[in-house]
């Protein structure tokens, strides 16, 4: 009924946000496995009908959807895990098609970001989540229509990167009673994202949460200063802020 209004400004409008938030609410409030099946079907339809809402303009809707679907990939119910994995695969495939079969850069970035957030928020990464990653890989291997393009390789690369993040986190769990070792591992993971500031920022936020939980407030503050400096540097390069990272030198020489 409201398709024309929803498609205004390349699907970046207030009505679209309201409709999307209503869909998300079904995933944020506990549902039965039977109800979730219908929610996933509705979301497939929604993504299929309005792909530019997710793959064009700001990445907020894409990021929120990735976060909620990944949470469902860790669900107790096997059927929900399978449904969530199928929806995630469909979402990545749509991204690939939307980009004229070139890449899945946006969903890749938002999924790694969501994994980093979920590690801190919900402690994902066990056998249930690994099972979901295996299902996604199986979809990629068995998709005959995508056989002659690089989409299956991109999906495998993404699941491999997610596993790397999870392995690093598992190591951290082993050393959680050794604060120096733990911080070392966290720091090296944040550094591995140096070429992708958005992911570096996400991991620094996760570090800050863990520091704050342990009562290490000056360390948490240091993470937030680094995040602010990253954003300042980005704004400087966009010509929107004159100083960049040196603006924070008076707080800590560490910012270099």
């Amino acid at each position: 009924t409201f398709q024309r209004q929803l498609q205004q400004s390349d699907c970046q409008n207030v009505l679209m946000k309201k409709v999307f938030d209503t869909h998300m609410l079904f995933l944020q409030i506990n549902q039965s496995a039977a109800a979730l099946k219908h929610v996933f079907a509705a979301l497939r339809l929604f993504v299929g009908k309005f792909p530019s809402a997710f793959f064009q303009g700001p990445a907020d809707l894409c990021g929120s959807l990735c976060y909620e679907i990944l949470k469902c990939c860790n669900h107790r119910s096997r059927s929900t895990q399978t449904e969530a994995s199928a929806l995630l695969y469909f979402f990545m495939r749509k991204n690939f098609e939307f980009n004229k079969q070139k890449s899945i850069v946006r969903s890749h970035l938002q999924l790694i970001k969501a994994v980093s957030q979920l590690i801190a928020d919900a402690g994902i990464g066990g056998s249930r989540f690994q099972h979901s990653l295996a299902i996604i890989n199986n979809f990629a291997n068995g998709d005959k229509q995508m056989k002659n393009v690089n989409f299956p390789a991109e999906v495998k690369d993404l699941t491999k990167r997610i596993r790397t993040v999870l392995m690093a986190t598992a190591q951290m769990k082993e050393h959680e009673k050794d604060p120096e070792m733990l911080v070392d591992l966290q720091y090296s993971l944040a550094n591995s994202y140096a070429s992708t500031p958005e992911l570096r920022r996400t991991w620094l936020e996760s570090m800050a949460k863990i520091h704050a939980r342990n009562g290490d407030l000056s360390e948490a503050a240091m993470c937030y200063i680094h995040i602010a400096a990253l954003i300042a540097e980005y704004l400087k390069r966009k010509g929107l802020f004159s100083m960049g990272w040196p603006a924070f030198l008076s707080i800590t020489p560490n910012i270099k």
Side-chain angles (χ1 to χ4, degrees), residues 91-212:
F91 187 70
M92 290 189 281
R93 201 173 187 271
K94 272 279 165 231
N95 189 182
F96 190 71
E97 286 163 5
F98 189 83
N99 281 354
K100 299 182 173 58
Q101 300 205 335
K102 285 186 190 132
S103 72
I104 55 165
V105 168
R106 173 166 288 198
S107 47
H108 183 126
L109 186 67
Q110 294 305 321
L111 283 164
I112 296 276
K113 193 176 163 194
V115 167
S116 304
Q117 286 170 331
L118 279 162
I119 285 164
D121 298 350
I124 61 162
S127 57
R128 291 199 294 243
F129 193 72
Q130 294 289 355
H131 175 70
S132 294
L133 290 179
I135 293 172
I136 292 165
N137 267 334
N138 289 342
F139 279 133
N141 291 331
D143 194 336
K144 289 189 176 106
Q145 284 175 300
M146 291 285 164
K147 214 171 176 180
N148 301 317
V149 290
N150 67 341
F151 179 65
E154 292 219 13
V155 173
K156 277 181 200 158
D157 177 54
L158 173 60
T159 52
K160 191 177 160 190
R161 281 172 186 263
I162 289 173
R163 285 199 174 99
T164 305
V165 173
L166 294 173
M167 268 165 57
T169 313
Q171 279 183 300
M172 287 177 197
K173 225 168 176 47
E174 267 176 55
H175 296 286
E176 60 189 350
K177 290 187 170 67
D178 179 354
E180 279 82 13
M181 185 66 182
L182 181 61
V183 170
D184 235 29
L185 287 164
Q186 288 174 338
Y187 182 64
S188 62
L189 193 55
N191 274 353
S192 71
Y193 292 149
S195 61
T196 317
E198 195 171 348
L199 294 182
R200 184 172 167 80
R201 173 197 162 173
T202 302
W203 192 248
L204 285 167
E205 279 173 348
S206 290
M207 276 173 73
K209 279 182 191 169
I210 294 163
H211 279 314

Side-chain angles (χ1 to χ4, degrees), residues 21 31 33 45 61 63 81 83 101 129 134-135 143 167 182 222 230 245 251-252:
D21 285 347
Q31 309 286 348
L45 197 67
L61 302 194
Q81 276 176 46
E83 291 273 346
Q101 300 205 335
F129 193 72
I135 293 172
D143 194 336
M167 268 165 57
L182 181 61
M222 193 63 80
L230 271 174
W245 66 263
I251 302 171
T252 171

